[in-house]
Amino acid sequence: RILMTVGGAGAQGEIYGNIISHLLPLVRQNKVVLLINVGDHKEVWKAMTEKISGLREMAVMHFDRWPETVDYAEKALSQEVSGIHAFYHQNLYAAVYATNLLMRVCDFMITKPSELAFYPVPKLMLKRLGGHEAWGAIRTSELGDGTIECDTMERILQMLDLMLLEPEILESM
């Protein structure tokens, strides 16, 4: 179960699109579950579904239904889940808090090194958007619960594959 937090008004939409495209074969084989939180940026989801063939059809969309988001996160603690689940909430509080709920049911998170660098779950750190975010990636890698900042698509996909194929990496995080 991979939680993808797409914040920053979708500034990294292309990166996330490449990651999703890379993971779609594993989703289809029921080897990976994607939890995609686009926060309060519905246009990011729309752009991704326009660029990634089959994404809209494969995804269960939990859009602006807070009780449904809470229910999903609660059920996912004890039940098998599959496929792709997309989350969007117009309300900023719900948009952000959805990540707090979904964090509890993921095996690792893919995010930029913002304040999410300090969430207590293994993390694949993408390239930062702002210079101030560098320290989030540095600190999480120092603590050992996240990767270094992966600043190219090649590094991101290489680390993602390692995290999926080498259980020792996630176990050590």
Side-chain angles (χ1 to χ4, degrees), residues 54-74:
L55 178 59
R56 183 176 317 180
E57 295 75 24
M58 290 179 70
V60 176
M61 295 182 288
H62 307 269
F63 280 27
D64 256 344
R65 293 184 223 139
W66 180 247
E68 183 181 310
T69 298
V70 173
D71 186 56
Y72 174 84
E74 194 64 35

Side-chain angles (χ1 to χ4, degrees), residues 10 14 26 28 40-41 56 69 76 111 113 120 123 125 149-150 152:
E14 185 177 337
L26 295 174
R28 287 185 181 107
D40 61 339
H41 304 290
R56 183 176 317 180
T69 298
T111 188
K123 294 162 284 291
M125 289 292 166
E149 179 181 356
C150 296
T152 67

Side-chain angles (χ1 to χ4, degrees), residues 150-168:
C150 296
D151 59 354
T152 67
M153 237 14 262
E154 181 181 15
R155 286 186 181 145
I156 291 167
L157 296 179
Q158 179 183 37
M159 183 57 74
L160 177 59
D161 288 344
L162 286 171
M163 292 173 84
L164 291 170
L165 298 172
E166 302 293 333
E168 302 83 23

Side-chain angles (χ1 to χ4, degrees), residues 50-157:
E50 289 171 357
K51 291 181 182 176
I52 303 169
S53 178
L55 178 59
R56 183 176 317 180
E57 295 75 24
M58 290 179 70
V60 176
M61 295 182 288
H62 307 269
F63 280 27
D64 256 344
R65 293 184 223 139
W66 180 247
E68 183 181 310
T69 298
V70 173
D71 186 56
Y72 174 84
E74 194 64 35
K75 286 180 180 175
L77 284 170
S78 60
Q79 296 178 10
E80 286 294 317
V81 294
S82 62
I84 299 172
H85 294 265
F87 300 86
Y88 156 81
H89 295 283
Q90 184 176 7
N91 176 284
L92 183 58
Y93 172 79
V96 172
Y97 201 77
T99 294
N100 294 348
L101 297 177
L102 297 169
M103 164 187 65
R104 299 173 59 220
V105 300
C106 76
D107 294 299
F108 69 94
M109 179 167 49
I110 299 175
T111 188
K112 66 185 182 75
S114 62
E115 62 281 352
L116 296 176
F118 301 98
Y119 272 42
V121 9
K123 294 162 284 291
L124 169 56
M125 289 292 166
L126 303 178
K127 182 178 180 168
R128 65 191 134 150
L129 292 177
H132 65 286
E133 294 175 335
W135 293 107
I138 291 169
R139 185 63 180 149
T140 197
S141 65
E142 287 175 343
L143 293 174
D145 70 349
T147 68
I148 60 168
E149 179 181 356
C150 296
D151 59 354
T152 67
M153 237 14 262
E154 181 181 15
R155 286 186 181 145
I156 291 167
L157 296 179

